[in-house]
Amino acid sequence: MRKNLLIYGLLLAVLMVVLEVTKYRFLVLENRIEIYIGIIAIVFVVMGAYMGRKLTTPKEVIIEKLVAVPTTPSAPFILNETVLDKLGISKREHEVLQLMAEGMSNQEIADKTFVSVNTVKTHVSNVLLKLDAKRRTQAVIKARELSLIP
Amino acid sequence: MRKNLLIYGLLLAVLMVVLEVTKYRFLVLENRIEIYIGIIAIVFVVMGAYMGRKLTTPKEVIIEKLVAVPTTPSAPFILNETVLDKLGISKREHEVLQLMAEGMSNQEIADKTFVSVNTVKTHVSNVLLKLDAKRRTQAVIKARELSLIP
DNA sequence: AAGATACTCATACTTTCGGGTGATTTTGGT
DNA sequence: ACCAAAATCACCCGAAAGTATGAGTATCTT
């Protein structure tokens, strides 16, 4: 962001210099300063538009769209990473998800991953949210359908 | 959208007229055209930023919701009844086990089978015992391994 | 008819899960 | 160097799950 502002400032400066150098020629042109203004206007409108895009965050109206995810049963398991990061599931969350799928309790997962139960709970909660599941059992089913776990 | 463009065009025109009318005074100012450019630049950067927002910001952000769709029909499930009665799992228990495997809660199972939650709990407990599982998630895994459920 | 088995339900108690919130630290990318 | 995301942990609370025990009903077998 800050870098962008710098670039814009620089551009502005360069443009000014160019104009300064060439202004006499322009002025000779029967004082048709409108052309001059027009060029500057266009340049800065474009620049501003780009800045506007970069600097502002859109207010979202969420509309859900269903997308089919093909699954191949009993084939050698291939993690669907596309789905994984489409759902925004992190490495740790995915790891916890796998252990969940193996029937482990939060405590057991905590022991195996060397973190506290609270941390595991947080991960589990996130996974449930991201998989839109009410229970861990549901989460496991959905995860398997989406090829996130074997 | 189109209305906005009109307004901007109009603004641009007005600005040009204003500048045209006042340009001589500006030019008299020791040819300090940089100030002139600066003002135009600022005006159009702001204008462009606003336009950029209005014209390019989508009002709707489509979020894709993933749905699993099996491409290959899974192998037909064959219940292993030998194991089933070797473990002494009754019909009702088996039924509950299946619903458990579908990610249902005890309450949901109770509703679906028209019995009380307490009854379901009893069945679940029995299943856990007979499958030697600590949790329902484990029970489901073991049951699947033993071909008791699909 | 008696006995075994399955099914049903309840009550009481403990453990595990899951939601919500907030805070700190680590890490990866610019 | 800085920002954003990820990871870590804690505490509370309520809901769900699981354990234990007892008990009534139905069904089927011998």
Side-chain angles (χ1 to χ4, degrees):
Chain A
M1 289 308 169
R2 215 162 286 170
K3 209 193 292 177
N4 282 336
L5 286 176
L6 265 172
I7 292 169
Y8 291 130
L10 222 68
L11 261 172
L12 182 55
V14 170
L15 201 62
M16 278 183 175
V17 170
V18 171
L19 290 170
E20 184 71 10
V21 170
T22 59
K23 69 179 169 183
Y24 297 108
R25 255 162 286 172
F26 272 101
L27 288 173
V28 167
L29 285 174
E30 311 278 307
N31 284 337
R32 296 303 295 166
I33 202 155
E34 290 90 343
I35 299 167
Y36 193 25
I37 296 169
I39 294 167
I40 299 171
I42 289 164
V43 169
F44 281 95
V45 164
V46 170
M47 194 184 285
Y50 186 67
M51 271 183 74
R53 280 282 293 158
K54 285 282 169 185
L55 292 173
T56 60
T57 36
K59 27 186 163 101
E60 310 186 343
V61 176
I62 294 169
I63 289 181
E64 289 187 346
K65 183 186 176 186
L66 298 180
V67 175
V69 176
T71 56
T72 318
S74 69
F77 171 68
I78 300 160
L79 206 169
N80 192 334
E81 292 182 59
T82 312
V83 175
L84 203 60
D85 66 65
K86 190 160 280 185
L87 293 174
I89 293 173
S90 71
K91 275 178 210 157
R92 214 45 164 166
E93 285 164 355
H94 182 244
E95 191 182 353
V96 169
L97 178 57
Q98 289 181 61
L99 299 176
M100 256 200 300
E102 289 171 23
M104 286 188 182
S105 70
N106 288 341
Q107 186 59 60
E108 287 169 343
I109 295 173
D111 293 343
K112 179 153 258 176
T113 57
F114 303 105
V115 297
S116 82
V117 194
N118 295 305
T119 304
V120 174
K121 282 180 165 197
T122 306
H123 290 321
V124 171
S125 277
N126 290 333
V127 169
L128 292 183
L129 261 181
K130 291 171 183 177
L131 283 176
D132 189 31
K134 286 177 194 157
R135 283 166 287 284
R136 52 172 55 211
T137 45
Q138 257 185 25
V140 169
I141 294 170
K142 292 202 175 190
R144 193 161 288 131
E145 285 172 349
L146 296 170
S147 296
L148 301 182
I149 50 172
Chain B
M1 288 306 171
R2 216 162 286 166
K3 207 194 296 177
N4 282 334
L5 285 177
L6 266 173
I7 292 169
Y8 291 132
L10 223 68
L11 259 172
L12 182 55
V14 169
L15 201 64
M16 277 183 175
V17 172
V18 171
L19 290 169
E20 184 72 12
V21 170
T22 59
K23 68 179 172 184
Y24 296 108
R25 257 163 283 171
F26 272 101
L27 289 173
V28 167
L29 284 174
E30 313 278 308
N31 281 338
R32 297 301 295 164
I33 201 151
E34 292 89 341
I35 299 166
Y36 192 29
I37 296 168
I39 293 167
I40 299 171
I42 290 165
V43 170
F44 280 95
V45 164
V46 171
M47 192 185 288
Y50 187 66
M51 268 184 74
R53 281 277 293 156
K54 284 284 168 186
L55 292 174
T56 63
T57 302
K59 286 193 184 114
E60 297 168 353
V61 175
I62 293 170
I63 291 182
E64 296 180 340
K65 191 171 187 179
L66 303 171
V67 174
V69 175
T71 51
T72 318
S74 335
F77 169 69
I78 302 164
L79 205 169
N80 192 334
E81 293 182 57
T82 313
V83 176
L84 202 60
D85 65 64
K86 189 160 283 183
L87 292 174
I89 293 173
S90 70
K91 274 177 213 159
R92 212 51 162 160
E93 286 163 355
H94 182 245
E95 191 183 353
V96 169
L97 178 57
Q98 288 182 65
L99 299 176
M100 259 200 300
E102 288 170 24
M104 286 189 181
S105 68
N106 288 340
Q107 185 60 61
E108 287 170 343
I109 296 173
D111 293 344
K112 178 152 262 177
T113 57
F114 304 106
V115 296
S116 82
V117 195
N118 295 307
T119 305
V120 174
K121 282 181 168 192
T122 305
H123 290 320
V124 171
S125 277
N126 290 334
V127 169
L128 293 183
L129 263 180
K130 291 170 183 176
L131 282 175
D132 189 32
K134 286 176 194 160
R135 282 164 289 284
R136 52 171 55 211
T137 45
Q138 255 184 28
V140 169
I141 294 169
K142 293 203 176 188
R144 193 160 288 132
E145 285 170 351
L146 297 171
S147 297
L148 302 182
I149 50 173

